[in-house]
Amino acid sequence: MKAMLAAVIQSLAKEKKARGTDTPGREWAKDLKPRLIGIGAVSLAPATIAGKSAGLLFHYEPYAVGAYAEGAYQALVPWQTLKPYLSAEGAAIFAGEPAKTEASK
């Protein structure tokens, strides 16, 4: 869970930097916790390979990790980051790269 949280924070920091809203000390990450319900709402990220997932996509509403004016955020944790922690059955659902979606264009 700690590795997953670190990957989420890294992904959010990259998005915040792209939006020009990252802050030194990353105060916005203080409420994220290394627990399944403490990291955020999650879904499987679409992949370039049909029937597979490219990783986990965490969803944050406005105010969750920034000011309301910043809007919602999504943080992708690629399956390659998760691979060392997955069972064979868990690893079987992941492959490929993140698919381009309307939201990511």
Side-chain angles (χ1 to χ4, degrees):
M1 292 307 297
K2 288 179 182 180
M4 192 177 322
L5 177 60
V8 165
I9 291 172
Q10 180 180 3
S11 179
L12 286 170
K14 182 178 175 182
E15 178 63 23
K16 285 182 137 310
K17 184 176 181 179
R19 293 184 190 190
T21 60
D22 198 10
T23 56
R26 301 202 170 132
E27 246 336 272
W28 50 264
K30 70 179 179 353
D31 292 330
L32 301 178
K33 305 291 183 221
R35 296 173 301 190
L36 194 54
I37 61 171
I39 295 178
V42 64
S43 64
L44 294 173
T48 53
I49 298 175
K52 299 291 182 176
S53 172
L56 298 178
L57 193 58
F58 290 84
H59 307 270
Y60 299 93
E61 295 299 322
Y63 278 133
V65 292
Y68 187 82
E70 293 175 31
Y73 281 90
Q74 291 186 345
L76 173 67
V77 177
W79 69 271
Q80 294 90 338
T81 301
L82 305 170
K83 189 175 180 179
Y85 309 103
L86 297 172
S87 66
E89 295 84 11
I93 67 169
F94 298 104
E97 298 298 318
K100 295 289 183 191
T101 63
E102 286 302 313
S104 66
K105 290 181 183 177

